[in-house]
């Protein structure tokens, strides 16, 4: 029986190029570097968390204040907590919640508090149970990637708590040194 022009190709001749292409694609995928297959993220270590805590405590001690400092990892879990002898017990939870708020919003809590005071829509953030809109919480980043947050309470006010948190960040050079609160609208027109 005569074969048409398209039937002269047998099944093997069509299958081989398809198998070769599939094999090449699978081989290329397997040859990709691990970074292309898995996300790599910096991790805040216990050593760094303890250095952050010590930096904040030293900064506030220099201002004559005993504080609580809480350091959370990227998942919001407590990594380090230190309390100066004279710090009030309520500051333990305040420091943790400030850190959680900064981590969750990726914004310094001093900025959030100022936004809430100026913007009725932002005021509703106060209704979320874990958020605390008081200065002293600052997100921690490495090369722009969130790694955790630090929260300071008991330093004698929002501005002092924020300054002690910023001093903590300066104690760990591997962290991005951003995070300064923006000027208050009430102090700068």
């Amino acid at each position: 029986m005569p074969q048409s022009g398209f039937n002269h190709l047998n099944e093997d001749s069509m299958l081989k190029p398809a198998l070769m292409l599939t094999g090449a694609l699978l081989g290329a995928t397997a040859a990709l570097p691990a970074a292309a297959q898995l996300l790599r993220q910096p991790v805040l270590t216990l050593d760094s968390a303890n250095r952050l805590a010590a930096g904040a405590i030293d900064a506030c001690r220099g201002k004559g204040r005993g504080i609580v400092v809480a350091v959370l990892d990227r998942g919001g879990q407590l990594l380090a907590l230190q309390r100066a002898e004279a710090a009030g017990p309520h500051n333990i939870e305040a420091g943790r919640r400030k850190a959680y708020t900064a981590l969750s919003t990726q914004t310094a809590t001093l900025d959030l508090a100022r936004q809430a005071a100026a913007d009725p829509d932002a005021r509703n953030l106060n209704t979320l149970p874990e958020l605390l809109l008081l200065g002293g919480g600052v997100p921690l980043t490495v090369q722009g990637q969130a790694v955790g947050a630090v929260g300071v309470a008991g330093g004698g006010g929002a501005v002092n708590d924020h300054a002690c948190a910023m001093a903590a960040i300066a104690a760990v050079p591997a962290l991005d040194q951003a995070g300064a609160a923006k000027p208050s609208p009430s102090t700068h027109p």
Side-chain angles (χ1 to χ4, degrees):
M1 176 183 267
Q3 296 181 351
S4 71
F6 291 108
N7 289 336
H8 76 280
L9 298 175
N10 64 31
E11 191 174 306
D12 284 341
S13 65
M14 291 175 54
L15 191 57
K16 283 182 186 176
L19 287 174
M20 288 174 54
L21 180 60
T22 301
L25 289 174
L26 288 174
T29 302
L32 287 175
Q37 297 174 22
L38 299 174
L39 181 62
R40 291 181 187 234
Q41 295 179 318
V43 174
L44 185 62
T45 64
L46 179 59
D47 179 59
S48 292
N50 286 330
R51 284 189 289 147
L52 284 161
I57 287 175
D58 289 345
C60 275
R61 185 179 292 135
K63 297 175 188 236
R65 302 299 301 199
I67 62 161
V68 169
V69 58
V71 181
L72 305 182
D73 66 13
R74 124 175 358 100
Q77 299 302 310
L78 190 61
L79 194 54
L81 177 73
Q82 292 186 25
R83 182 182 77 75
E85 299 85 359
H90 66 286
N91 289 313
I92 294 170
E93 185 62 13
R96 187 198 64 77
R97 287 179 58 196
K98 288 178 183 186
Y100 180 85
T101 302
L103 174 67
S104 180
T105 63
Q106 284 300 294
T107 305
T109 57
L110 186 59
D111 289 338
L112 283 174
R114 291 173 176 170
Q115 290 169 6
D119 179 3
D121 291 334
R123 265 183 227 129
N124 288 331
L125 289 172
N126 263 339
T127 65
L128 297 172
E130 283 295 307
L131 298 188
L132 186 57
L133 305 187
L134 296 173
V138 179
L140 303 171
T141 59
V142 172
Q143 297 176 348
Q145 293 185 44
V147 295
V150 60
V152 172
V159 173
N160 285 349
D161 288 351
H162 181 80
C164 292
M166 293 305 297
I169 293 171
V172 182
L175 294 170
D176 295 341
Q177 299 299 307
K182 296 165 187 72
S184 172
S186 62
T187 58
H188 298 309

